[in-house]
Amino acid sequence: MAIVSPGFTRRRQSPDVQLPPGQYLTEDFPVLTAGPTPRVPTDRWEFTVGTEAGQKHTWSWQQLIELPAEKITTDIHCVTKWSKLRTRWKGVSLDVLLEDVETAADFALIHSYGGYTTNLPLEDLLDGQAWIAYRYDDDDLTPEHGGPARLLVPHLYFWKSAKWVRGIQLLLEDEPGFWETAGYHDYGDPWREQRYQGD
Ligand SMILES: Nc1nc2c(c(=O)[nH]1)N[C@H]1C(S)=C(S)[C@@H](COP(=O)(O)O)O[C@H]1N2
Ligand SMILES: [Mo]
C-alpha cells in the first residue's frame, strides 16, 4: 500500500480548486486591449466622479496619490479563460473616493481615456471590493496594463477592471459598456461563469 499523506494530495489539487469554472492558470501577465494604448501624462491626468444629480468630484494625480492607499494581493480572471493568482497591486479604495459623494445611484458606468467603458452595480465598487490601482508588483503601473491608473475589481471578470480609468458616472439606471454592448454578460461573475448574455 502506498504511503501518501492526505495533505500532499490536497495541495496537488488546490490550483484547480482556486480557479473559477473553465479557467486555466497563467504565470505571465497577458495584455488585452481593444484598440491603441492611450498615453496619459500624470500632469494632465484627472479622475472624475459624476453623480446622477450632475455633481462632479475631481482628483488630480497629486491628490490621488496623497490619499491613503492599500496593498492588495488578489487573483484575476479574464473571460478569455486565463487566470493569474496572487497579483500584487497598490491603489486607493473606492470607499475612500466615494466617501463624500452624495448619490442615490445603484449603477456605475466606468469611463477610460481612449473611450472604453464598462458597467457594474455601484455596490460592487464598495466595501473593499474595488480600487484605483497605480502600482503593480512594486513598480508604477505600465501603460500596457492601464497606467497611470486603472480600476481593479477582481471579483468580476477582468474586463470590468478598466485600464486608463478617467472617471465614474453614477446612474439610476444600468447602462451597458463596451463589451456588455457586444454581447458579454452585464455582471460577469467568474464563479458563476457569466461570460455572455444569458449565461
Ligand atoms: N480601457 C480598457 N480597459 C480594459 C480593456 C480595454 O481594452 N481597454 N480590456 C479589458 C480586458 S478584456 C481585460 S482581460 C483586462 C486586461 O488587462 P491587462 O491587459 O492588464 O491584462 O483589461 C480590461 N480593461
Ligand atoms: Mo478580458
Side-chain angles (χ1 to χ4, degrees):
M1 167 182 160
I3 301 167
V4 178
S5 87
F8 180 70
T9 306
R10 267 202 300 277
R11 267 198 302 282
R12 281 177 56 112
Q13 288 171 347
S14 68
D16 303 345
V17 173
Q18 294 171 56
L19 284 182
Q23 298 292 113
Y24 66 86
L25 277 180
T26 183
E27 289 300 326
D28 57 9
F29 194 174
V31 172
L32 275 98
T33 300
T37 294
R39 309 276 159 165
V40 191
T42 52
D43 59 1
R44 273 193 277 134
W45 185 92
E46 57 177 35
F47 176 74
T48 301
V49 174
T51 73
E52 76 285 0
Q55 287 173 327
K56 284 197 188 323
H57 304 252
T58 299
W59 292 263
S60 67
W61 182 257
Q62 198 55 39
Q63 288 170 326
L64 178 83
I65 61 172
E66 283 171 6
L67 290 172
E70 293 172 16
K71 288 186 171 171
I72 308 108
T73 300
T74 188
D75 304 341
I76 54 180
H77 311 290
C78 174
V79 75
T80 63
K81 301 198 169 176
W82 58 266
S83 288
K84 188 169 170 59
L85 301 185
R86 292 179 294 278
T87 58
R88 293 169 54 244
W89 308 81
K90 182 184 175 188
V92 177
S93 168
L94 262 300
D95 292 317
V96 172
L97 291 158
L98 294 174
E99 194 170 68
D100 297 325
V101 175
E102 243 183 80
T103 182
D106 286 325
F107 301 98
L109 184 61
I110 316 298
H111 293 265
S112 292
Y113 290 94
Y116 184 86
T117 54
T118 188
N119 61 307
L120 67 174
L122 175 56
E123 65 177 5
D124 285 80
L125 291 176
L126 300 174
D127 299 325
Q129 297 185 93
W131 297 266
I132 302 298
Y134 53 83
R135 305 267 297 167
Y136 177 80
D137 250 358
D138 299 320
D139 273 314
D140 291 343
L141 189 58
T142 60
E144 292 71 28
H145 289 298
R150 75 182 297 165
L151 182 67
L152 175 66
V153 47
H155 69 288
L156 300 177
Y157 279 124
F158 210 36
W159 88 77
K160 301 283 183 180
S161 292
K163 304 197 276 189
W164 317 291
V165 67
R166 100 182 276 170
I168 298 179
Q169 188 184 354
L170 298 173
L171 297 166
L172 299 174
E173 307 278 345
D174 196 13
E175 207 177 291
F178 179 79
W179 286 118
E180 295 83 7
T181 306
Y184 284 83
H185 199 276
D186 193 61
Y187 185 62
D189 180 349
W191 296 95
R192 286 187 275 168
E193 214 172 352
Q194 295 173 335
R195 298 179 194 275
Y196 307 104
Q197 271 173 42
D199 283 351

